[in-house]
């Protein structure tokens, strides 16, 4: 029952993010109080990097949902959000 309600809540919030199409909105959804423990339990063991799995997934989902599906837009949007959030700057190069 709790899982069903959690899924419905997540679906409603995801629809809102889909309309917004921002990686930050998707990230906030994935790391919300309701979903963070569930998302973290599904992640493989990893080292914290510049873009941890939740942020990478958020960027990918926002890219897929956005009208401009380019990787460059996803990377630029992430760089802007990092700057606005007073996080260290990162490269906007999309190569390897």
């Amino acid at each position: 029952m709790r899982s069903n309600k959690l899924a419905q809540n997540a679906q409603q919030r995801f629809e809102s993010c889909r309309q917004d199409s921002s990686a930050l909105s998707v990230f906030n959804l994935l790391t919300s109080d309701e979903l963070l423990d569930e998302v973290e339990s599904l992640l493989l063991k990893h080292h914290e990097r510049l873009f941890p799995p939740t942020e990478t997934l958020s960027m990918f989902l926002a890219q897929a949902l956005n009208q401009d599906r380019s990787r460059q837009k996803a990377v630029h949007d992430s760089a802007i959000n990092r700057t606005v959030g007073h996080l260290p700057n990162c490269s906007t190069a999309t190569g390897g």
Side-chain angles (χ1 to χ4, degrees):
M1 180 71 175
R2 173 174 152 67
S3 181
N4 191 23
K5 182 143 176 92
L6 184 66
Q8 287 175 336
N9 187 343
Q11 187 174 12
Q12 289 170 345
R13 293 180 63 199
F14 191 80
E15 178 60 26
S16 172
C17 290
R18 186 190 66 75
Q19 292 171 3
D20 182 5
S21 297
S22 100
L24 184 59
S25 295
V26 176
F27 179 79
N28 288 339
L29 170 64
L30 293 175
T31 59
S32 67
D33 291 341
E34 297 89 15
L35 291 179
L36 183 59
D37 290 337
E38 185 72 23
V39 171
E40 290 281 328
S41 74
L42 298 172
L43 294 176
L44 299 175
K45 198 172 210 175
H46 64 280
H47 296 285
E48 284 298 317
R49 305 278 188 214
L50 179 62
F51 297 111
T54 49
E55 189 167 353
T56 302
L57 179 59
S58 300
M59 290 171 65
F60 171 74
L61 291 172
Q63 178 185 2
L65 295 170
N66 199 297
Q67 188 171 1
D68 176 355
R69 290 184 172 90
S70 70
R71 181 177 23 187
Q72 192 66 65
K73 175 163 178 21
V75 171
H76 279 158
D77 288 350
S78 179
I80 290 167
N81 287 329
R82 291 183 68 77
T83 300
V84 169
H86 305 290
L87 297 170
N89 292 333
C90 64
S91 171
T92 57
T94 60

